[in-house]
Amino acid sequence: MKKANLTSDSLFKNKYALHFLEIYRPLWALGHAGSLLSWDSETYMPSSGVEQRAVALSELKILERKLFLDKHFLQTIQKLKNQKRLNVFEKGLSRVVLRSLKIYQKVPEKVLKEFTKITEEAKPVWRNARANNDFKIFMPYLEKIFNFSREIADYLEYEKHPYDALLDLYEEETTVADFDRLFKKIIPVSKKILEKNRTIDDKIEALENKKYEKQKLEKINLEILSMLGFDNSRMRLDISTHPFTQEISLNDIRITTRYEGKNFKSTIFYCIHEFWHALYEIQIDPGLEFTPLASGVSYGVHESQSRFWENIVGRSRVFCELIYPLLAKELNFIREYTSEEIYNYFNLVKPGFIRVNADEVTYNLHIFLRYEIEKSILEEKISIKEIPAVWESKMQELLGLIPPSDTLGCLQDIHWSSGYIGYFPSYSLGTILAAQLKYAIEKDFNLDEAISSKNFEKIRSWLKEKIHSKGAVYPPKKLIRLSLKEKITSDYFENYLKKKYLVYKI
Ligand code: MG
């Protein structure tokens, strides 16, 4: 059996830290088992196994809570926290564990249990509501989910806004004030680009409907991934309804894609996106394995990695040129297009109803809409039953579209039915941070040159040193400040968009 890295060269020296890591092992193992069960549910489990799997996962959660609230466990982490001289890893350890404990300690067990129960019940109702375009049947569940979320926010406490307490669950120390500031800058730029990109070339748009054979795209995806550095001994690629990444351990990361049979760029970008979520985990310092620090630091920083590779690298002109011969070899219809036209297809800006299909310009408009609605509900400015109407008017204001149904509107995402209030804004933070990374990298070397010469190792190493290796040691804002020598800012994303879509017009 592999032992925890608790030898003399361990990153952790303090006796309480070392003792803590010993007693943390069963919790690590529970997480390991739960991750594998979740991955299996989405990939290979026969469909009838769903009920028992849900029971197994919820029992593991109960066990996890018990271990977290064990008296000796709590005393040890408290002793560690009170130590005067801790190194950065030990400080990170106490910070991350106390954050996980906060929800168990501050929110009464009864409230958490009822919240879990209502989200479990809400998910099938939401699926049904979405399939039948019937917001009314989902409404009472959503009402309870928002009420519980508000109650949980009150228990967790906040200084200015109840939403702050919920946002912090996904993006540590990031508040309404932060997101208001970021959106205020990026929304006008996105809207301006949309206005300028009204005319869409029919020939380019036609690529969205070109059919492909699954085997051809599987081959393309594997070649692209292997070029980017896919490690077969530590990663798997499978198929699932919704592409995702599941970390099992630092040496076992699973990613998925899907094949829709047309609009071939989607499956390629799902692969690239998820691969870089995986790479973040794989490049974490192995000395952090078996500890709570062996994970990406936040949803936003994680998303910045996948967005960096999907948008900044994958949608760049040099990357298009690089993969064009491969595309042309496998897909006959590509031969009617130049590499420049494929670049335009990869970067087509087109308002649509569905967030997950949105391009890099309109994507944040979709997030802003959800952010505004969540915030307004928590402020009690709008009620749950007003969501469809507010959605419509905001969609028209931001994207110039009115969804023909709630299925294509406020019922499209799974997040609310799962109780993930405060999750969406971290997607925008990731997009913004991805552009900031691009500019930071370009201070050190020529990114385009690294891409065109297939020197992806150079980019991987840079990200490993600055972001990945550190796991969750530092809180996200501090990590960015330490690694990029500046705060998180939307300036770079604005410049990136302006340069790509306004100054240099396609
Ligand atoms: Mg992602």
Side-chain angles (χ1 to χ4, degrees), residues 214-242:
K214 189 181 150 212
Q215 293 88 329
K216 298 276 187 195
L217 256 298
E218 276 177 332
K219 203 166 167 215
I220 291 170
N221 280 342
L222 287 177
E223 277 204 37
I224 291 176
L225 286 180
S226 110
M227 179 177 78
L228 294 174
F230 190 86
D231 179 349
N232 277 313
S233 74
R234 301 168 77 192
M235 295 171 169
R236 279 186 64 94
L237 171 66
D238 293 276
I239 296 173
S240 67
T241 320
H242 302 285

PDB file of all heavy atoms in Angstrom, residues 214-242:
ATOM      1  N   LYS A 214     -18.262   9.603 -36.430  1.00  0.00           N
ATOM      2  CA  LYS A 214     -17.694   9.634 -35.081  1.00  0.00           C
ATOM      3  C   LYS A 214     -16.227   9.165 -35.061  1.00  0.00           C
ATOM      4  O   LYS A 214     -15.373   9.800 -34.440  1.00  0.00           O
ATOM      5  CB  LYS A 214     -18.547   8.750 -34.174  1.00  0.00           C
ATOM      6  CG  LYS A 214     -18.211   8.862 -32.725  1.00  0.00           C
ATOM      7  CD  LYS A 214     -19.100   7.932 -31.914  1.00  0.00           C
ATOM      8  CE  LYS A 214     -18.379   7.463 -30.679  1.00  0.00           C
ATOM      9  NZ  LYS A 214     -18.743   6.137 -30.248  1.00  0.00           N
ATOM     10  N   GLN A 215     -15.953   8.079 -35.786  1.00  0.00           N
ATOM     11  CA  GLN A 215     -14.584   7.524 -35.771  1.00  0.00           C
ATOM     12  C   GLN A 215     -13.545   8.545 -36.240  1.00  0.00           C
ATOM     13  O   GLN A 215     -12.429   8.570 -35.749  1.00  0.00           O
ATOM     14  CB  GLN A 215     -14.472   6.278 -36.669  1.00  0.00           C
ATOM     15  CG  GLN A 215     -15.252   5.090 -36.187  1.00  0.00           C
ATOM     16  CD  GLN A 215     -16.688   5.101 -36.717  1.00  0.00           C
ATOM     17  OE1 GLN A 215     -17.285   6.169 -36.939  1.00  0.00           O
ATOM     18  NE2 GLN A 215     -17.260   3.935 -36.940  1.00  0.00           N
ATOM     19  N   LYS A 216     -13.963   9.367 -37.208  1.00  0.00           N
ATOM     20  CA  LYS A 216     -13.020  10.364 -37.747  1.00  0.00           C
ATOM     21  C   LYS A 216     -12.667  11.380 -36.659  1.00  0.00           C
ATOM     22  O   LYS A 216     -11.513  11.749 -36.474  1.00  0.00           O
ATOM     23  CB  LYS A 216     -13.647  11.110 -38.935  1.00  0.00           C
ATOM     24  CG  LYS A 216     -13.997  10.207 -40.101  1.00  0.00           C
ATOM     25  CD  LYS A 216     -12.796   9.985 -40.977  1.00  0.00           C
ATOM     26  CE  LYS A 216     -13.196   9.221 -42.231  1.00  0.00           C
ATOM     27  NZ  LYS A 216     -12.036   8.682 -42.928  1.00  0.00           N
ATOM     28  N   LEU A 217     -13.700  11.842 -35.947  1.00  0.00           N
ATOM     29  CA  LEU A 217     -13.450  12.839 -34.913  1.00  0.00           C
ATOM     30  C   LEU A 217     -12.731  12.243 -33.709  1.00  0.00           C
ATOM     31  O   LEU A 217     -11.928  12.917 -33.064  1.00  0.00           O
ATOM     32  CB  LEU A 217     -14.768  13.508 -34.489  1.00  0.00           C
ATOM     33  CG  LEU A 217     -14.968  14.925 -35.035  1.00  0.00           C
ATOM     34  CD1 LEU A 217     -13.882  15.880 -34.518  1.00  0.00           C
ATOM     35  CD2 LEU A 217     -14.931  14.965 -36.552  1.00  0.00           C
ATOM     36  N   GLU A 218     -12.981  10.957 -33.450  1.00  0.00           N
ATOM     37  CA  GLU A 218     -12.252  10.299 -32.359  1.00  0.00           C
ATOM     38  C   GLU A 218     -10.755  10.315 -32.670  1.00  0.00           C
ATOM     39  O   GLU A 218      -9.925  10.605 -31.817  1.00  0.00           O
ATOM     40  CB  GLU A 218     -12.731   8.854 -32.189  1.00  0.00           C
ATOM     41  CG  GLU A 218     -13.972   8.753 -31.335  1.00  0.00           C
ATOM     42  CD  GLU A 218     -14.517   7.334 -31.198  1.00  0.00           C
ATOM     43  OE1 GLU A 218     -14.321   6.515 -32.111  1.00  0.00           O
ATOM     44  OE2 GLU A 218     -15.148   7.065 -30.176  1.00  0.00           O
ATOM     45  N   LYS A 219     -10.453  10.033 -33.923  1.00  0.00           N
ATOM     46  CA  LYS A 219      -9.054  10.010 -34.362  1.00  0.00           C
ATOM     47  C   LYS A 219      -8.433  11.417 -34.229  1.00  0.00           C
ATOM     48  O   LYS A 219      -7.321  11.570 -33.728  1.00  0.00           O
ATOM     49  CB  LYS A 219      -9.001   9.532 -35.822  1.00  0.00           C
ATOM     50  CG  LYS A 219      -7.689   8.971 -36.186  1.00  0.00           C
ATOM     51  CD  LYS A 219      -7.744   8.202 -37.490  1.00  0.00           C
ATOM     52  CE  LYS A 219      -6.311   7.957 -37.933  1.00  0.00           C
ATOM     53  NZ  LYS A 219      -6.119   7.998 -39.366  1.00  0.00           N
ATOM     54  N   ILE A 220      -9.183  12.406 -34.690  1.00  0.00           N
ATOM     55  CA  ILE A 220      -8.702  13.795 -34.606  1.00  0.00           C
ATOM     56  C   ILE A 220      -8.470  14.184 -33.143  1.00  0.00           C
ATOM     57  O   ILE A 220      -7.414  14.714 -32.783  1.00  0.00           O
ATOM     58  CB  ILE A 220      -9.713  14.762 -35.283  1.00  0.00           C
ATOM     59  CG1 ILE A 220      -9.710  14.543 -36.796  1.00  0.00           C
ATOM     60  CG2 ILE A 220      -9.402  16.219 -34.937  1.00  0.00           C
ATOM     61  CD1 ILE A 220     -10.835  15.252 -37.544  1.00  0.00           C
ATOM     62  N   ASN A 221      -9.457  13.889 -32.288  1.00  0.00           N
ATOM     63  CA  ASN A 221      -9.324  14.250 -30.871  1.00  0.00           C
ATOM     64  C   ASN A 221      -8.095  13.604 -30.237  1.00  0.00           C
ATOM     65  O   ASN A 221      -7.350  14.257 -29.509  1.00  0.00           O
ATOM     66  CB  ASN A 221     -10.578  13.822 -30.093  1.00  0.00           C
ATOM     67  CG  ASN A 221     -11.718  14.804 -30.280  1.00  0.00           C
ATOM     68  OD1 ASN A 221     -11.506  15.942 -30.706  1.00  0.00           O
ATOM     69  ND2 ASN A 221     -12.926  14.379 -29.973  1.00  0.00           N
ATOM     70  N   LEU A 222      -7.901  12.313 -30.518  1.00  0.00           N
ATOM     71  CA  LEU A 222      -6.755  11.620 -29.917  1.00  0.00           C
ATOM     72  C   LEU A 222      -5.438  12.206 -30.400  1.00  0.00           C
ATOM     73  O   LEU A 222      -4.495  12.363 -29.633  1.00  0.00           O
ATOM     74  CB  LEU A 222      -6.815  10.119 -30.205  1.00  0.00           C
ATOM     75  CG  LEU A 222      -7.877   9.358 -29.406  1.00  0.00           C
ATOM     76  CD1 LEU A 222      -7.914   7.891 -29.809  1.00  0.00           C
ATOM     77  CD2 LEU A 222      -7.645   9.480 -27.894  1.00  0.00           C
ATOM     78  N   GLU A 223      -5.392  12.552 -31.695  1.00  0.00           N
ATOM     79  CA  GLU A 223      -4.137  13.139 -32.212  1.00  0.00           C
ATOM     80  C   GLU A 223      -3.860  14.496 -31.591  1.00  0.00           C
ATOM     81  O   GLU A 223      -2.732  14.815 -31.237  1.00  0.00           O
ATOM     82  CB  GLU A 223      -4.189  13.244 -33.739  1.00  0.00           C
ATOM     83  CG  GLU A 223      -3.806  11.919 -34.374  1.00  0.00           C
ATOM     84  CD  GLU A 223      -3.277  12.052 -35.798  1.00  0.00           C
ATOM     85  OE1 GLU A 223      -2.565  13.030 -36.102  1.00  0.00           O
ATOM     86  OE2 GLU A 223      -3.595  11.166 -36.614  1.00  0.00           O
ATOM     87  N   ILE A 224      -4.918  15.293 -31.462  1.00  0.00           N
ATOM     88  CA  ILE A 224      -4.736  16.622 -30.854  1.00  0.00           C
ATOM     89  C   ILE A 224      -4.295  16.470 -29.394  1.00  0.00           C
ATOM     90  O   ILE A 224      -3.344  17.109 -28.945  1.00  0.00           O
ATOM     91  CB  ILE A 224      -6.024  17.475 -30.966  1.00  0.00           C
ATOM     92  CG1 ILE A 224      -6.281  17.856 -32.429  1.00  0.00           C
ATOM     93  CG2 ILE A 224      -5.919  18.738 -30.106  1.00  0.00           C
ATOM     94  CD1 ILE A 224      -7.574  18.617 -32.677  1.00  0.00           C
ATOM     95  N   LEU A 225      -4.978  15.589 -28.665  1.00  0.00           N
ATOM     96  CA  LEU A 225      -4.629  15.409 -27.249  1.00  0.00           C
ATOM     97  C   LEU A 225      -3.200  14.911 -27.089  1.00  0.00           C
ATOM     98  O   LEU A 225      -2.471  15.371 -26.204  1.00  0.00           O
ATOM     99  CB  LEU A 225      -5.599  14.424 -26.569  1.00  0.00           C
ATOM    100  CG  LEU A 225      -6.999  14.958 -26.275  1.00  0.00           C
ATOM    101  CD1 LEU A 225      -7.838  13.883 -25.603  1.00  0.00           C
ATOM    102  CD2 LEU A 225      -6.960  16.203 -25.395  1.00  0.00           C
ATOM    103  N   SER A 226      -2.806  13.981 -27.963  1.00  0.00           N
ATOM    104  CA  SER A 226      -1.443  13.463 -27.802  1.00  0.00           C
ATOM    105  C   SER A 226      -0.421  14.555 -28.122  1.00  0.00           C
ATOM    106  O   SER A 226       0.610  14.662 -27.469  1.00  0.00           O
ATOM    107  CB  SER A 226      -1.265  12.174 -28.600  1.00  0.00           C
ATOM    108  OG  SER A 226      -0.427  12.361 -29.682  1.00  0.00           O
ATOM    109  N   MET A 227      -0.750  15.417 -29.084  1.00  0.00           N
ATOM    110  CA  MET A 227       0.142  16.543 -29.400  1.00  0.00           C
ATOM    111  C   MET A 227       0.250  17.501 -28.195  1.00  0.00           C
ATOM    112  O   MET A 227       1.310  18.047 -27.902  1.00  0.00           O
ATOM    113  CB  MET A 227      -0.431  17.277 -30.621  1.00  0.00           C
ATOM    114  CG  MET A 227       0.358  18.470 -31.072  1.00  0.00           C
ATOM    115  SD  MET A 227      -0.389  19.168 -32.569  1.00  0.00           S
ATOM    116  CE  MET A 227      -1.777  20.069 -31.911  1.00  0.00           C
ATOM    117  N   LEU A 228      -0.860  17.680 -27.477  1.00  0.00           N
ATOM    118  CA  LEU A 228      -0.869  18.607 -26.345  1.00  0.00           C
ATOM    119  C   LEU A 228      -0.212  18.019 -25.095  1.00  0.00           C
ATOM    120  O   LEU A 228       0.131  18.744 -24.166  1.00  0.00           O
ATOM    121  CB  LEU A 228      -2.311  19.020 -26.001  1.00  0.00           C
ATOM    122  CG  LEU A 228      -3.048  19.853 -27.056  1.00  0.00           C
ATOM    123  CD1 LEU A 228      -4.505  20.066 -26.647  1.00  0.00           C
ATOM    124  CD2 LEU A 228      -2.375  21.209 -27.266  1.00  0.00           C
ATOM    125  N   GLY A 229      -0.040  16.681 -25.073  1.00  0.00           N
ATOM    126  CA  GLY A 229       0.666  16.071 -23.939  1.00  0.00           C
ATOM    127  C   GLY A 229      -0.182  15.118 -23.111  1.00  0.00           C
ATOM    128  O   GLY A 229       0.090  14.916 -21.927  1.00  0.00           O
ATOM    129  N   PHE A 230      -1.209  14.545 -23.727  1.00  0.00           N
ATOM    130  CA  PHE A 230      -2.061  13.582 -23.014  1.00  0.00           C
ATOM    131  C   PHE A 230      -1.225  12.394 -22.558  1.00  0.00           C
ATOM    132  O   PHE A 230      -0.496  11.800 -23.346  1.00  0.00           O
ATOM    133  CB  PHE A 230      -3.181  13.117 -23.961  1.00  0.00           C
ATOM    134  CG  PHE A 230      -4.262  12.306 -23.296  1.00  0.00           C
ATOM    135  CD1 PHE A 230      -5.334  12.924 -22.681  1.00  0.00           C
ATOM    136  CD2 PHE A 230      -4.217  10.916 -23.312  1.00  0.00           C
ATOM    137  CE1 PHE A 230      -6.349  12.180 -22.080  1.00  0.00           C
ATOM    138  CE2 PHE A 230      -5.225  10.163 -22.711  1.00  0.00           C
ATOM    139  CZ  PHE A 230      -6.285  10.802 -22.102  1.00  0.00           C
ATOM    140  N   ASP A 231      -1.310  12.057 -21.271  1.00  0.00           N
ATOM    141  CA  ASP A 231      -0.503  10.987 -20.707  1.00  0.00           C
ATOM    142  C   ASP A 231      -1.406   9.774 -20.456  1.00  0.00           C
ATOM    143  O   ASP A 231      -2.164   9.736 -19.493  1.00  0.00           O
ATOM    144  CB  ASP A 231       0.110  11.505 -19.389  1.00  0.00           C
ATOM    145  CG  ASP A 231       0.971  10.463 -18.690  1.00  0.00           C
ATOM    146  OD1 ASP A 231       0.929   9.279 -19.103  1.00  0.00           O
ATOM    147  OD2 ASP A 231       1.671  10.827 -17.737  1.00  0.00           O
ATOM    148  N   ASN A 232      -1.271   8.783 -21.346  1.00  0.00           N
ATOM    149  CA  ASN A 232      -2.131   7.594 -21.263  1.00  0.00           C
ATOM    150  C   ASN A 232      -2.021   6.834 -19.953  1.00  0.00           C
ATOM    151  O   ASN A 232      -2.945   6.130 -19.563  1.00  0.00           O
ATOM    152  CB  ASN A 232      -1.791   6.631 -22.395  1.00  0.00           C
ATOM    153  CG  ASN A 232      -2.502   7.019 -23.666  1.00  0.00           C
ATOM    154  OD1 ASN A 232      -3.697   7.299 -23.652  1.00  0.00           O
ATOM    155  ND2 ASN A 232      -1.771   7.081 -24.763  1.00  0.00           N
ATOM    156  N   SER A 233      -0.884   6.962 -19.288  1.00  0.00           N
ATOM    157  CA  SER A 233      -0.702   6.189 -18.059  1.00  0.00           C
ATOM    158  C   SER A 233      -1.389   6.864 -16.867  1.00  0.00           C
ATOM    159  O   SER A 233      -1.542   6.264 -15.810  1.00  0.00           O
ATOM    160  CB  SER A 233       0.782   5.974 -17.777  1.00  0.00           C
ATOM    161  OG  SER A 233       1.352   7.174 -17.309  1.00  0.00           O
ATOM    162  N   ARG A 234      -1.788   8.112 -17.030  1.00  0.00           N
ATOM    163  CA  ARG A 234      -2.409   8.825 -15.890  1.00  0.00           C
ATOM    164  C   ARG A 234      -3.781   9.408 -16.226  1.00  0.00           C
ATOM    165  O   ARG A 234      -4.413  10.045 -15.392  1.00  0.00           O
ATOM    166  CB  ARG A 234      -1.476   9.950 -15.431  1.00  0.00           C
ATOM    167  CG  ARG A 234      -0.108   9.448 -14.999  1.00  0.00           C
ATOM    168  CD  ARG A 234       0.859  10.601 -14.837  1.00  0.00           C
ATOM    169  NE  ARG A 234       0.630  11.332 -13.603  1.00  0.00           N
ATOM    170  CZ  ARG A 234       1.182  12.503 -13.337  1.00  0.00           C
ATOM    171  NH1 ARG A 234       1.973  13.088 -14.220  1.00  0.00           N
ATOM    172  NH2 ARG A 234       0.926  13.117 -12.192  1.00  0.00           N
ATOM    173  N   MET A 235      -4.200   9.251 -17.484  1.00  0.00           N
ATOM    174  CA  MET A 235      -5.474   9.854 -17.891  1.00  0.00           C
ATOM    175  C   MET A 235      -6.279   8.885 -18.742  1.00  0.00           C
ATOM    176  O   MET A 235      -5.719   8.008 -19.388  1.00  0.00           O
ATOM    177  CB  MET A 235      -5.203  11.092 -18.764  1.00  0.00           C
ATOM    178  CG  MET A 235      -4.521  12.222 -18.067  1.00  0.00           C
ATOM    179  SD  MET A 235      -4.061  13.447 -19.308  1.00  0.00           S
ATOM    180  CE  MET A 235      -3.590  14.808 -18.280  1.00  0.00           C
ATOM    181  N   ARG A 236      -7.587   9.100 -18.750  1.00  0.00           N
ATOM    182  CA  ARG A 236      -8.489   8.347 -19.631  1.00  0.00           C
ATOM    183  C   ARG A 236      -9.388   9.328 -20.348  1.00  0.00           C
ATOM    184  O   ARG A 236      -9.776  10.347 -19.783  1.00  0.00           O
ATOM    185  CB  ARG A 236      -9.408   7.455 -18.809  1.00  0.00           C
ATOM    186  CG  ARG A 236      -8.841   6.151 -18.334  1.00  0.00           C
ATOM    187  CD  ARG A 236      -9.973   5.359 -17.674  1.00  0.00           C
ATOM    188  NE  ARG A 236     -11.004   5.045 -18.667  1.00  0.00           N
ATOM    189  CZ  ARG A 236     -11.041   3.909 -19.356  1.00  0.00           C
ATOM    190  NH1 ARG A 236     -10.130   2.991 -19.149  1.00  0.00           N
ATOM    191  NH2 ARG A 236     -11.993   3.693 -20.248  1.00  0.00           N
ATOM    192  N   LEU A 237      -9.766   8.965 -21.574  1.00  0.00           N
ATOM    193  CA  LEU A 237     -10.782   9.749 -22.292  1.00  0.00           C
ATOM    194  C   LEU A 237     -11.961   8.828 -22.566  1.00  0.00           C
ATOM    195  O   LEU A 237     -11.793   7.759 -23.138  1.00  0.00           O
ATOM    196  CB  LEU A 237     -10.216  10.286 -23.619  1.00  0.00           C
ATOM    197  CG  LEU A 237     -11.235  10.932 -24.561  1.00  0.00           C
ATOM    198  CD1 LEU A 237     -11.822  12.212 -23.981  1.00  0.00           C
ATOM    199  CD2 LEU A 237     -10.601  11.245 -25.930  1.00  0.00           C
ATOM    200  N   ASP A 238     -13.149   9.227 -22.120  1.00  0.00           N
ATOM    201  CA  ASP A 238     -14.358   8.440 -22.374  1.00  0.00           C
ATOM    202  C   ASP A 238     -15.453   9.361 -22.916  1.00  0.00           C
ATOM    203  O   ASP A 238     -15.208  10.550 -23.148  1.00  0.00           O
ATOM    204  CB  ASP A 238     -14.820   7.759 -21.075  1.00  0.00           C
ATOM    205  CG  ASP A 238     -13.834   6.703 -20.616  1.00  0.00           C
ATOM    206  OD1 ASP A 238     -13.908   5.571 -21.097  1.00  0.00           O
ATOM    207  OD2 ASP A 238     -12.958   7.029 -19.783  1.00  0.00           O
ATOM    208  N   ILE A 239     -16.628   8.772 -23.084  1.00  0.00           N
ATOM    209  CA  ILE A 239     -17.752   9.544 -23.623  1.00  0.00           C
ATOM    210  C   ILE A 239     -18.818   9.691 -22.544  1.00  0.00           C
ATOM    211  O   ILE A 239     -19.074   8.758 -21.790  1.00  0.00           O
ATOM    212  CB  ILE A 239     -18.345   8.823 -24.859  1.00  0.00           C
ATOM    213  CG1 ILE A 239     -17.294   8.777 -25.974  1.00  0.00           C
ATOM    214  CG2 ILE A 239     -19.616   9.506 -25.343  1.00  0.00           C
ATOM    215  CD1 ILE A 239     -17.704   7.946 -27.165  1.00  0.00           C
ATOM    216  N   SER A 240     -19.426  10.874 -22.438  1.00  0.00           N
ATOM    217  CA  SER A 240     -20.554  11.051 -21.511  1.00  0.00           C
ATOM    218  C   SER A 240     -21.521  12.079 -22.097  1.00  0.00           C
ATOM    219  O   SER A 240     -21.170  12.802 -23.032  1.00  0.00           O
ATOM    220  CB  SER A 240     -20.060  11.530 -20.148  1.00  0.00           C
ATOM    221  OG  SER A 240     -19.535  12.832 -20.259  1.00  0.00           O
ATOM    222  N   THR A 241     -22.731  12.146 -21.537  1.00  0.00           N
ATOM    223  CA  THR A 241     -23.719  13.100 -22.059  1.00  0.00           C
ATOM    224  C   THR A 241     -23.204  14.530 -21.929  1.00  0.00           C
ATOM    225  O   THR A 241     -23.309  15.331 -22.849  1.00  0.00           O
ATOM    226  CB  THR A 241     -25.038  12.983 -21.252  1.00  0.00           C
ATOM    227  OG1 THR A 241     -25.262  11.605 -21.001  1.00  0.00           O
ATOM    228  CG2 THR A 241     -26.196  13.586 -21.987  1.00  0.00           C
ATOM    229  N   HIS A 242     -22.684  14.857 -20.741  1.00  0.00           N
ATOM    230  CA  HIS A 242     -22.094  16.189 -20.536  1.00  0.00           C
ATOM    231  C   HIS A 242     -20.607  16.019 -20.285  1.00  0.00           C
ATOM    232  O   HIS A 242     -20.237  15.313 -19.343  1.00  0.00           O
ATOM    233  CB  HIS A 242     -22.751  16.890 -19.349  1.00  0.00           C
ATOM    234  CG  HIS A 242     -24.225  17.050 -19.509  1.00  0.00           C
ATOM    235  ND1 HIS A 242     -24.771  17.993 -20.360  1.00  0.00           N
ATOM    236  CD2 HIS A 242     -25.260  16.367 -18.986  1.00  0.00           C
ATOM    237  CE1 HIS A 242     -26.080  17.878 -20.332  1.00  0.00           C
ATOM    238  NE2 HIS A 242     -26.417  16.900 -19.519  1.00  0.00           N
TER     239      HIS A 242
END
